[in-house]
Amino acid sequence: MLLAACSKRGVQACSLLLAAFSLFFLLRSSHYGSVPLPTSRWIDKPSYVPLADTHKANGQWQHLESAQQLWKAMKPILEKHTPSTRRSTAFTRSSGRIDGLLKRDASNSDSDLTLQDVVEVGNIHRDYVQACSNKIPSLVERSKNPTQGVVTIAGGSSFPALLVTLKMLRRTGSKLPLEVFVPKQDEIEPKVCEDVLPKMSARCIILADILGATQLYEYSVAKTQYKIYSILFSSFEDVFFLDVGSFALGEPTSFLNYSPFASQGLVTWPGEGHRTISPVYHLIANQTAVPPDLSQQTDLGQLLVSKSKHSLTLLLAAYYNYHGPTFFYRLLSQNWSLDKEIDTLTPAAATLGFPYYQVKEAALPIGHNKKYSLDLYTYALLQHNPVLDYEKHTIDQNKQVLRSFIHANASLFDPKTILDHRADGDIEFDVTKNWDGKEVPIFKDPAETVVWIPDAERWIWEAVKAVACDFEHNLEQWKGEKMICVRIRNYWTMRFQAEDRKMGVGKVNVKAGKGGKSGKRRRA
């Protein structure tokens, strides 16, 4: 009802509704201004034991005591503040799961929300923030030795692409430690977690050991929700979250040491298109003025988060995730689907009035042009350096902003399947071939964009080749495979050695130096 009214009357009418309902909340003393928000505090750093000592005889990892304590404190508050309206109970539970994996019920659209529903959920939302403010900080300690590190999520079939991502990160010269959150014990790669990652200043952490063995199978934590929990439960105070398939083109440590991160504590990158947040969410969150940044989609392939400045932001984002499938996701994205990841961090920060910065330079899609048109098959997004972006938009508008990440689909750079013919709906394609069957770079178009990253694809293929040939016989999921290394090596020879001979380069660029440097061809 309420949303339907907004939809019919347009943005100006919705703004008037926002003002009216804001006054209504003020009269009921239901707004955040009535209770001062505390200074955000850092979430406790788990006390890890050496990796070699964490593997028990039964194959389970040693539980992370402090992270478990945090979850033990969080879960009752999350449960107590469940949005209890007709909207949130429209999905039925079957054996502890959402019926039919959250199939959309057309008879229960967002327009079924009434004014009473909005007031109820608004009060519950406010009480959750206050409960976290009062109880969670008293159960955790500040870090005496703040740390910086990289956090990512992997499991099962994504481990090969994880290794490619990590090799690309280390290629830049980055020495930041890495924590890999794996949802469940049966999704780890023992060889990688026990032998390979420790040598690369990285380790695996089993998320189920923190949340509980059954939690990941129940309705409250789904695959698209892991990101917030991995950041919350990491041991780092300053977190650089890097998705598997997001490839760093330069050393990223400076991103954690300079503004905008140093001043804002939360940095995000833009996605493609605009966000479709329901006006009803702003009423529930008591936002009288909608921040303009919330209209832009967020690319969640990379994030910078300070837990000393944004612990309450993370706790509110966790609330939106925990109750996302049954309530908040369809308010935060009106075209939400099961496989779509929703940005809950920036709405949470905006609601709490905490600062954040979204990179202003637009994400640049790269891939292959379609046959007979300039439309693009997008295989990745090219993202920009946040420090230079901040300087350009606050200090020197003539500053050149370099490209810093290529965020690709993780499955795209799995050495086992990257050369395979594949289908997406009615479209069949090969990522290494043009529409006419000719071998071409994966990142071929648009020409005016890819010219700035001339060596990036070669660097990624170097990592793909190394993973294919070093791990063909060491990954559980590749058992019995015999041709992964041969296929990749043959492609490498055909593609890059022939290219080098044609350019008269010889072997100059076959092995790039430390820090991602590969001669004069490198421009980003």
Side-chain angles (χ1 to χ4, degrees):
M1 299 173 188
L2 187 60
L3 183 60
C6 276
S7 300
K8 291 177 181 178
R9 289 172 173 79
V11 175
Q12 291 183 343
C14 286
S15 298
L16 292 174
L17 279 174
L18 283 171
F21 283 117
S22 296
L23 178 60
F24 183 80
F25 277 107
L26 285 168
L27 294 174
R28 290 178 56 91
S29 297
S30 303
H31 59 98
Y32 295 118
S34 63
V35 282
L37 291 173
T39 302
S40 182
R41 296 188 65 188
W42 180 66
I43 304 302
D44 185 29
K45 181 172 89 171
S47 302
Y48 292 112
V49 294
L51 193 69
D53 299 330
T54 59
H55 195 272
K56 293 183 177 180
N58 64 2
Q60 297 295 318
W61 297 97
Q62 177 73 35
H63 289 332
L64 307 176
E65 183 177 352
S66 57
Q68 285 182 315
Q69 289 174 351
L70 174 58
W71 177 241
K72 186 178 179 180
M74 285 175 59
K75 187 177 178 183
I77 300 176
L78 289 166
E79 291 284 356
K80 181 180 179 181
H81 296 88
T82 299
S84 55
T85 70
R86 291 178 296 115
R87 179 67 182 88
S88 61
T89 56
F91 300 102
T92 58
R93 295 177 186 175
S94 176
S95 303
R97 301 167 186 248
I98 290 293
D99 183 34
L101 287 178
L102 303 175
K103 291 180 180 178
R104 182 155 190 167
D105 184 349
S107 67
N108 286 287
S109 66
D110 294 334
S111 60
D112 287 335
L113 283 172
T114 65
L115 172 59
Q116 182 180 352
D117 292 332
V118 173
V119 173
E120 282 182 19
V121 180
N123 289 336
I124 293 169
H125 184 283
R126 176 208 61 199
D127 292 344
Y128 171 79
V129 173
Q130 188 61 59
C132 287
S133 304
N134 292 338
K135 296 180 181 180
I136 298 294
S138 65
L139 298 176
V140 297
E141 300 176 1
R142 284 183 182 271
S143 171
K144 295 180 180 179
N145 299 298
T147 56
Q148 299 176 337
V150 182
V151 171
T152 193
I153 301 166
S157 62
S158 65
F159 262 96
L162 165 70
L163 292 168
V164 174
T165 304
L166 183 52
K167 282 184 175 294
M168 280 292 291
L169 178 64
R170 292 294 181 245
R171 188 186 189 287
T172 69
S174 172
K175 293 181 172 60
L176 288 170
L178 178 88
E179 291 177 343
V180 181
F181 280 79
V182 182
K184 300 185 290 293
Q185 175 69 32
D186 60 5
E187 294 186 50
I188 71 166
E189 280 284 352
K191 177 74 174 178
V192 175
C193 287
E194 296 176 32
D195 299 332
V196 177
L197 293 186
K199 297 174 183 177
M200 302 176 77
S201 298
R203 74 176 84 202
C204 292
I205 299 171
I206 309 301
L207 193 55
D209 284 349
I210 300 170
L211 297 175
T214 61
Q215 192 73 39
L216 295 178
Y217 295 97
E218 295 181 353
Y219 67 91
S220 52
V221 179
K223 188 172 183 179
T224 55
Q225 299 165 289
Y226 295 158
K227 192 164 293 183
I228 293 298
Y229 293 103
S230 67
I231 295 172
L232 265 172
F233 299 135
S234 71
S235 69
F236 310 123
E237 178 171 345
D238 292 342
V239 174
F240 169 31
F241 185 91
L242 190 68
D243 245 349
V244 170
S246 187
F247 305 121
L249 301 179
E251 212 285 312
T253 305
S254 63
F255 301 165
L256 296 170
N257 296 328
Y258 298 97
S259 286
F261 181 74
S263 58
Q264 311 290 311
L266 174 59
V267 176
T268 65
W269 278 260
E272 291 187 280
H274 293 282
R275 200 194 309 251
T276 55
I277 294 181
S278 166
V280 175
Y281 165 74
H282 300 300
L283 294 175
I284 290 170
N286 195 39
Q287 289 182 344
T288 55
V290 180
D293 281 351
L294 285 185
S295 65
Q296 175 66 55
Q297 285 282 13
T298 302
D299 175 12
L300 297 173
Q302 48 284 314
L303 296 164
L304 303 176
V305 185
S306 165
K307 291 194 284 192
S308 64
K309 295 177 180 175
H310 282 279
S311 62
L312 200 56
T313 301
L314 286 165
L315 292 170
L316 183 55
Y319 177 68
Y320 293 155
N321 279 344
Y322 194 83
H323 298 294
T326 56
F327 193 84
F328 283 107
Y329 283 168
R330 286 182 185 159
L331 295 181
L332 292 172
S333 179
Q334 294 183 67
N335 59 352
W336 172 73
S337 60
L338 282 172
D339 58 350
K340 184 176 180 180
E341 192 171 24
I342 303 298
D343 172 24
T344 56
L345 269 173
T346 52
T351 292
L352 296 168
F354 290 170
Y356 65 93
Y357 183 83
Q358 185 170 81
V359 170
K360 303 297 188 291
E361 295 293 307
L364 303 174
I366 51 179
H368 292 171
N369 284 336
K370 295 180 180 179
K371 185 177 182 180
Y372 303 132
S373 80
L374 293 180
D375 292 337
L376 197 70
Y377 292 120
T378 299
Y379 296 147
L381 292 179
L382 188 58
Q383 298 286 10
H384 294 80
N385 183 307
V387 176
L388 298 179
D389 180 87
Y390 181 78
E391 291 177 358
K392 176 178 179 178
H393 291 275
T394 60
I395 301 172
D396 178 8
Q397 64 181 356
N398 295 316
K399 174 78 77 172
Q400 182 183 14
V401 182
L402 301 179
R403 288 72 177 163
S404 292
F405 298 101
I406 293 176
H407 183 200
N409 187 315
S411 63
L412 191 67
F413 285 93
D414 184 330
K416 178 183 174 182
T417 60
I418 190 170
L419 297 176
D420 290 348
H421 184 74
R422 58 191 76 193
D424 182 8
D426 296 332
I427 302 171
E428 296 187 7
F429 62 99
D430 297 86
V431 296
T432 60
K433 294 180 181 179
N434 209 1
W435 55 265
D436 58 2
K438 181 181 177 181
E439 294 284 352
V440 293
I442 296 177
F443 306 137
K444 170 180 166 289
D445 301 305
E448 64 272 18
T449 299
V450 298
V451 69
W452 291 101
I453 51 169
D455 292 330
E457 188 168 329
R458 173 190 287 271
W459 300 340
I460 298 173
W461 274 105
E462 285 177 354
V464 169
K465 180 160 66 78
V467 171
C469 296
D470 292 347
F471 293 95
E472 184 175 65
H473 305 296
N474 294 312
L475 295 180
E476 290 292 320
Q477 62 185 286
W478 284 358
K479 272 188 176 179
E481 298 288 344
K482 298 179 180 179
M483 298 297 292
I484 298 175
C485 177
V486 171
R487 291 182 71 203
I488 297 297
R489 195 164 52 201
N490 288 344
Y491 177 83
W492 170 271
T493 301
M494 178 275 299
R495 166 84 185 277
F496 293 105
Q497 290 189 7
E499 180 181 292
D500 287 343
R501 285 194 297 271
K502 186 181 299 184
M503 296 178 63
V505 175
K507 298 183 179 180
V508 172
N509 272 336
V510 172
K511 292 186 178 180
K514 183 178 179 181
K517 298 177 181 178
S518 58
K520 295 182 180 180
R521 291 173 61 186
R522 187 180 183 222
R523 302 171 77 173

